[in-house]
Amino acid sequence: MALNTEYVGRTFGPTEPYEVSRVKIAEFSDAIGEPSALCRDAEAAVKAGYPDVIAPPTFAIVISMKATSAVAADPGLGLDYSMVVHGEQSFTYSRPLRAGDVIVATTTIESIRSKGSLSMLTTATDLATVGGEHVCTARSTIVERGK
Amino acid sequence: MGVTYSDAEAGTAIPPKSYQVTRLDLVKYCGASGDFNVIHWNERIARSVGLPGVIAHGMYTMAQGGKFLTAWAGGDPGAVVEYGVRFSSMVPVPDDADPGSATGGATIEFSGTVAEKLGDNKVAVDVVARCGGEKVLTRARAVVRLP
């Protein structure tokens, strides 16, 4: 089924606030094998000029994926999530995500395209603190394989 | 010590690195990221949907590239200010590694080149990721701030 192109330009959110914790950053860093002390040791992070431990660059997916999954599940969009693969992903940071950040995500559908039996949905999710400071924009393209 | 901004020029190579990925790594990444898609941990279901077996999360592979860039930039994950990829091929992860073993699973090989020297201590880099001879990330580009 083709995706509903009337959804292009539509914005979703902001989501419920997500609180970035030292423990979650350490867990994520362990899982990807990132050895940096700046992801685990607050003292080392402060010495490097950060207010607290910082997250690896792809950590933003933990927050942005929750937001984009909610968009993808909107019944009006017509996406079959079981047929979806991840096509492209990018992150643009104003500063690193760090422990103590309380983040809300706002997602905009940037484009819906189709190519043969494939449908492509590109979303841009802005992650900002509850105080309104932009931290990261996560742009994602997911591909729905046709049946 | 890693590279410095004054050393880096367009064409400067990032020393290649390889990262091993096993089933255990994928299970850990499921938990840390919240992405429990069954194709990343269940062989039976992965095969039933036409995959060669369990495959790594695209985001796991992207995270390895982030780690590769962070290591090059002197170990500061906050140095990666922009990072984007296209997922071009999957990374099958065979179930042949004992926990803690340095062999088995799959190996993802990273290399990269400085594409352009930007201002403010930043460089644009192109990253190549290969697994079993296939390019698993294409259009992988990052902006990294160097010491």
Side-chain angles (χ1 to χ4, degrees), chain B residues 57-105:
Chain B
H57 305 72
M59 285 307 304
Y60 180 87
T61 300
M62 186 177 184
Q64 300 308 299
K67 190 166 87 173
F68 170 69
L69 293 166
T70 294
W72 180 63
D76 180 357
V80 181
V81 294
E82 284 181 43
Y83 179 28
V85 306
R86 173 180 279 189
F87 303 105
S88 50
S89 190
M90 53 200 167
V91 175
V93 179
D95 180 20
D96 60 353
D98 294 322
S101 164
T103 59

Side-chain angles (χ1 to χ4, degrees), chain A residues 13-144:
Chain A
T15 55
E16 287 296 307
Y18 177 95
E19 196 170 334
V20 181
S21 72
R22 288 179 183 172
V23 170
K24 190 68 190 179
I25 290 175
E27 181 195 12
F28 188 87
S29 303
D30 286 347
I32 65 168
E34 170 54 66
S36 177
L38 306 185
C39 301
R40 294 176 180 81
D41 178 350
E43 216 169 287
V46 168
K47 213 171 271 178
Y50 298 111
D52 207 321
V53 294
I54 59 168
T58 62
F59 181 88
I61 199 73
V62 174
I63 309 171
S64 67
M65 201 175 66
K66 275 185 210 287
T68 51
S69 312
V71 172
D74 187 308
L77 180 61
L79 185 76
D80 179 356
Y81 208 64
S82 71
M83 299 300 284
V84 159
V85 294
H86 203 170
E88 292 177 41
Q89 182 67 46
S90 73
F91 302 100
T92 306
Y93 279 92
S94 295
R95 64 156 173 83
L97 277 163
R98 60 186 183 233
D101 277 339
V102 182
I103 299 292
V104 289
T106 308
T107 300
T108 303
I109 295 184
E110 286 198 331
S111 72
I112 292 174
R113 288 164 294 149
S114 51
K115 203 162 99 183
S117 65
L118 304 177
S119 297
M120 282 154 285
L121 172 74
T122 300
T123 53
T125 302
D126 283 323
L127 305 184
T129 66
V130 284
E133 179 193 8
H134 177 267
V135 179
C136 177
T137 298
R139 194 167 267 108
S140 167
T141 299
I142 59 177
V143 182
E144 184 195 46

Side-chain angles (χ1 to χ4, degrees), chain B residues 31-144:
Chain B
S33 67
D35 182 348
F36 289 94
N37 190 329
V38 289
I39 60 172
H40 304 307
W41 56 270
N42 186 310
E43 181 86 11
R44 175 177 53 85
I45 297 179
R47 287 187 184 280
S48 79
V49 296
L51 296 170
V54 164
I55 62 167
H57 305 72
M59 285 307 304
Y60 180 87
T61 300
M62 186 177 184
Q64 300 308 299
K67 190 166 87 173
F68 170 69
L69 293 166
T70 294
W72 180 63
D76 180 357
V80 181
V81 294
E82 284 181 43
Y83 179 28
V85 306
R86 173 180 279 189
F87 303 105
S88 50
S89 190
M90 53 200 167
V91 175
V93 179
D95 180 20
D96 60 353
D98 294 322
S101 164
T103 59
T107 301
I108 311 172
E109 296 154 12
F110 286 92
S111 58
T113 318
V114 174
E116 191 183 352
K117 199 164 181 172
L118 310 170
D120 196 22
N121 272 44
K122 291 174 188 167
V123 292
V125 301
D126 290 325
V127 177
V128 176
R130 282 196 173 83
C131 179
E134 293 279 331
K135 270 194 183 185
V136 292
L137 301 177
T138 53
R139 296 197 191 172
R141 201 142 208 241
V143 174
V144 180

